[in-house]
Amino acid sequence: MKPILKGILWAVIGFTGGAGLLTLVRLALGMSLWDLEPAISVGYIFGLTGWLLGVGVWDYWARAWFGLPLKKFEANGLSRYFSFNLDHKVIGLQYLAVFFFMLLTGGLFAMLMRLELMRPGREFMDPAVYNQIMSLHGIFMIAVAVAVIIGSFGNYIVPLMIGADDMAFPRLNALSFWLTPLVPLLLLSSLFFGGWDSGWTAYAPLSVTNRTGQLFYNLAFMTLGLSSIVGAVNFLTTVLTKRAPGLTWGRLPIFVWSIIATAILSLLATNFIFVVLLLATLERIAGMAFFNPAGGGNPILYQHLFWFYSHPAVYVMALPGLGVVLEVIAHFSRKPLFAYKWAVAGFLGITALSFTVWAHHMFTTGMPESRTAFMFTTELISIPTGFIFLSALGTIWQGRLRLNTPMLFGLAVIVNFLIGGITGIFLADVPTDIQLQDTFWVVAHFHYTIVSTQIFGLVAAIYYWLPKFTGRMYSERLGKIHFWWMFVTFNTTFLPMFWLGLNGMNRRVAQYPAPLGDVNMWVSLNAFLLGASFAFFVVLIALAWVRGPRAVSNPWAARTLEWQTASPPPHDNFPREPKVVGAPYDYGVPDSTHAIVPAADSGND
Amino acid sequence: MTTTTVPHTRYSRLNINRIGLWLFILSESGIFIALLAVRFYLEGTSRPEALNQTLGLIITAILLLSSLTAYRAETAIAQGDQAGFLRNTLATLILGLVFLAGVGIEWSQAFREFPPQSGFGRVFFAMTGMHAFHVLTGLILFGLLYFNGRRGAYSAESHWGVEAIVKYWHFVDVVWVFFYPALYLLS
């Protein structure tokens, strides 16, 4: 805990120093001495720097820039997880802890929303409070969806899968992780400054005129963006340079491809959200009217910049989950991944096309001349998505399916994502979208796409790789109970929402027409059951982690490299450098091998 | 993309660092592309008469010149010329500071003529501010280079720090090559 305490101390010093410096500048310029939002913004920049330096950047990195000797790294055991550790396996679990915390917190906010929506009238909370909770639920879950799989499993598994000893930039990796705890911290502290109620999209002009809580949203999202960019640089460099001998592009496990596509999107798109939030912050603190028409700004510019990031970000959320699904389906169907090259083309095609579709979020914004073009590109993107889909179906076709829990979740993604995809057509088509915009149809649609890929994908990944990072096995019986519980309640919660949307239930509103009360009651009750399934999942995984039976080193008889070493893997991952000699999924192909790991028990079958 | 089974060529630490730096620069250019988009979306190609064209041209020339001295610093250390390296690093540092001072003068005039709250002022201050922030970080890094260079931290064989910071400096310079006409010349 010592590095964290040091980080907090340095953060406080930095924040005070930054705010003090600003006060001095204001004094010199003859302005009023104190203004809350500029002080918080400037203080935060210095506080953030102090936090990073204090938590470990100074001791293990920056001292060398000044010719000072670096501190020797000493943490081991549990304290590794509370320090600036450079091991990608530690960082992966650190990511998992932070974002799983955010997932559960965001889930609690959802439960509060469903509590209010049980009945049409005003029940438990003020409509303004409802909107604050809705906004918090949104941004917590967006942060989870952007980062949880790539942060935890990208970090833990990708270097193992490519036969590397670590990421290309271990210190940058630790830095990108230690930015993330600030995200929930800032978002929760916004409540002390009046909260904010503009939803996760934070459209201007509302977001540039409402309470100080909004500033915390801006700072939190920018911090998350910084972490994403640093992470993306690291992932791409790692895959480009650290692959084991023989691991050519055509032999790369499909999960690695999904992480490459995700990292490209993060790398190229994230700075656009950074700019739009920076400009919104400048508008708040310096009166530079970029977005508020009252001052001569243009709110549509906000939407353009916001969605230019946020639509690619939708694929940042979806692709890692789909990567997990293809990975799991290939191993549990005991067949080569069907149309491997087309699946890769699917990932890269989505990556390219996702930069051309952003204005389909703006069909009702009042620019009719461009709608047809964006409708066309949006529907075009279903083609590469179809490649991924058909690759999954073709792999299952006539496979010898092993229906273990990870596979069940993988199959669930296919079912749910199909519903999400088909209902998306009505949002891509301009005439229907104009009717459905801002209704629960949209809510149901994006939960069917994002929850099904990122969250079901995450759950599949946790079950699949649990034996890898704990060396222990979960209970298959409880896992299957959890699967049916979560899969059924997910559908009973979100399917009726399509009907609600068609019948005129608006999103982001605490009260709704009375005839929709019964269905909403049903949805709320099922949502509580869905929420409870996560509590069950946490207990199940915790039990397995602490008391589960020892897992054999390759319980799924999988061929990819991460399973060809001990569980959990030693610090340098492999006893000696592995050599890749064949494709990763050639199950059932005579005389085929994926990789040879010298001087270790061979898990190849 | 290659699918042949070539024997693996190991990437050196230097190659890994270079790839990382280029990816970072690629990502960072998004900030400036977005700001250019904001400039044209909000203000079209209009610009106020009050822009100080002389000053703009001078600071542009100074920044371009600093890229030359930065390049000479890198070449010097690559040939083991410590004195030349230090001299050119210091020159870059000074030219960068003069550029920042020029921006400061431009800002103090702009505050009167087209303040940040005005139509052109908001894009002018956002763009020059973001660029000046990058110049400032570059100067801090050049300060570190000079400080460490005096201790003899770099050599012909090992000077990744120099190479990285000089590349970053060229990038900041290239950004200005786009920003200067977008702010000062178009109309």
Side-chain angles (χ1 to χ4, degrees), chain A residues 282-325:
Chain A
L282 287 174
E283 179 154 355
R284 292 184 70 90
I285 68 178
M288 295 161 78
F290 293 100
F291 305 124
N292 190 350
N298 188 334
I300 297 178
L301 175 63
Y302 180 95
Q303 298 185 18
H304 276 304
L305 287 172
F306 181 86
W307 288 113
F308 193 75
Y309 161 75
S310 293
H311 198 80
V314 169
Y315 293 100
V316 168
M317 301 173 206
L319 297 186
L322 293 173
V324 170
V325 169

Side-chain angles (χ1 to χ4, degrees), chain A residues 13 32 110 190 232 364 401 434 452 506 546 599:
Chain A
I13 294 172
S32 66
S190 74
T364 58
L401 303 198
I434 289 171
S452 82
N506 284 319
V546 181

